[in-house]
Amino acid sequence: MSKRIKILVVVVVAVLLIWSVAWYIISGQVRTQVAALAQADGVTSPRVVCENLNVTGYPFRFDVDCSPARITIEDVSADIAGIRASVLVYRPTHVLASALGPLSVSDAFTGSRNALDWSGLEASLRLDDWRISRLSVSAHDLVWTNPLMGEAPIATATLSELHLLDIPEQHDPDRHLASLAGYARTQNLVYPALTLTDTNSEIQLELTGLPDDVRIWNDPLLLRTMQAVDATLRIVSARATDGASTLTAEGEIQLDPQGQLEGQISINSTGVAERVGPYLQEPIRTLVLGTPAADGSHTNILSFRAGGVFSGLIPIGAVPPLF
């Protein structure tokens, strides 16, 4: 073996040893950070407790497995069979995650309990200089039940997904503001309580005036900061239909200086008033959906101002300030 080859072998071995030590040091820090979530107060930040916590994936990944897990926020506790998050060493700003069902949610204050199960749930988050480039969550074969009411499902859906994408042309680097486009849809929703069968829905949103650094999104003054730059939530399109009924909506909402909602949402529907009759009594049903036209369709505009929700000039509800 030539001297040059020996030197190369030594360098390779040294690099492998250095990286192995570095990987185990980093994995230990990751484990410590995740374990520290169990010490959170569950009020200002969620408390996450992992019964079993493992960090694997050597040499090119960090796979964090937490199973089972309990997440607590004030009086609400969520128990989930397992959560996994994975990051590639050479792509640290792209996180892949998955979860094992079922998810059980209980409220100690009200005593309510609900359970959600699925055949597959995956999520992906990609950042660009701490700005969201894309966030996607997709769940298949969802089943929602209430353990207090037996095993019969309350609702099911074959697919539910959510996507948030950066709008690069609206990024304002000088003011550190970003805009996101949102898209969500649900396929084949079955909800017997509302006599919904094979219902499909989708919604497209745009949010402007959002700080472009996700690290400051937990700032308690976030909404106040967004209001100061005229942040706007725009409902570009919302549509739900099961063949017999159709509901569409569009509009935009902002926050006024007092933290109250301000804006309008237009609603158009066919066959919805008859569906919600047992749950939305008159005159509220007409005030929300509007007076029926000759063809049976309903059209209305809901306005938000001064802390109230209005149908025309008639107040029908109140929304507390958001800050």
Side-chain angles (χ1 to χ4, degrees):
M1 182 181 296
S2 67
K3 183 177 180 180
R4 182 176 298 176
I5 294 178
K6 290 180 180 179
I7 294 174
L8 179 60
V9 170
V10 171
V11 170
V12 171
V13 172
V15 170
L16 288 176
L17 287 174
I18 292 172
W19 171 243
S20 297
V21 172
W23 188 94
Y24 282 104
I25 290 175
I26 296 172
S27 67
Q29 293 176 339
V30 171
R31 179 189 295 271
T32 300
Q33 292 295 321
V34 175
L37 296 175
Q39 306 305 317
D41 59 12
V43 178
T44 58
S45 58
R47 180 189 302 119
V48 182
V49 178
C50 301
E51 185 172 320
N52 298 297
L53 176 61
N54 294 298
V55 181
T56 58
Y58 175 84
F60 300 119
R61 298 195 319 273
F62 291 100
D63 298 328
V64 181
D65 287 286
C66 175
S67 60
R70 166 165 284 197
I71 304 170
T72 304
I73 303 176
E74 297 186 345
D75 295 321
V76 179
S77 296
D79 293 285
I80 189 168
I83 303 172
R84 162 173 279 210
S86 300
V87 177
L88 292 171
V89 170
Y90 50 85
R91 198 181 297 166
T93 59
H94 188 187
V95 181
L96 299 175
S98 60
L100 296 175
L103 168 68
S104 299
V105 180
S106 58
D107 190 322
F109 181 75
T110 64
S112 64
R113 295 178 59 193
N114 287 276
L116 186 66
D117 205 355
W118 53 81
S119 63
L121 192 158
E122 298 84 29
S124 173
L125 171 63
R126 188 169 69 249
L127 300 176
D128 181 7
D129 194 22
W130 292 107
R131 185 171 89 248
I132 283 186
S133 177
R134 183 185 183 106
L135 170 64
S136 296
V137 181
S138 177
H140 296 265
D141 303 321
L142 289 159
V143 179
W144 171 29
T145 58
N146 186 328
L148 300 177
M149 300 175 61
E151 298 298 323
I154 298 173
T156 62
T158 58
L159 173 67
S160 185
E161 59 181 343
L162 167 69
H163 305 278
L164 296 176
L165 299 93
D166 179 48
I167 306 176
E169 60 272 19
Q170 294 187 22
H171 180 224
D172 187 342
D174 296 330
R175 297 196 296 165
H176 301 287
L177 298 177
S179 298
L180 290 176
Y183 175 75
R185 68 167 177 159
T186 299
Q187 288 186 334
N188 302 319
L189 171 67
V190 177
Y191 194 171
L194 290 179
T195 65
L196 296 178
T197 304
D198 295 330
T199 301
N200 297 305
S201 65
E202 63 177 36
I203 182 170
Q204 299 179 48
L205 305 171
E206 285 187 6
L207 176 61
T208 64
L210 187 68
D212 62 3
D213 190 331
V214 299
R215 293 174 294 181
I216 65 173
W217 284 11
N218 64 347
D219 186 343
L221 300 178
L222 176 63
L223 291 179
R224 192 181 298 273
T225 301
M226 293 176 63
Q227 188 279 325
V229 296
D230 296 324
T232 301
L233 176 62
R234 183 173 297 108
I235 303 173
V236 179
S237 173
R239 179 179 176 84
T241 180
D242 67 351
S245 304
T246 300
L247 175 70
T248 63
E250 60 181 21
E252 62 179 46
I253 296 175
Q254 293 181 309
L255 291 172
D256 67 16
Q258 288 72 46
Q260 298 170 326
L261 297 182
E262 188 175 66
Q264 290 185 336
I265 297 177
S266 62
I267 301 175
N268 298 281
S269 63
T270 301
V272 175
E274 295 78 7
R275 288 281 181 84
V276 301
Y279 309 96
L280 197 62
Q281 300 297 322
E282 292 290 9
I284 297 298
R285 183 166 69 247
T286 296
L287 289 173
V288 171
L289 297 177
T291 303
D295 60 359
S297 63
H298 294 69
T299 301
N300 197 27
I301 296 178
L302 297 180
S303 301
F304 301 83
R305 60 182 183 273
V309 184
F310 296 82
S311 177
L313 298 176
I314 302 175
I316 60 174
V319 181
L322 299 186
F323 60 75

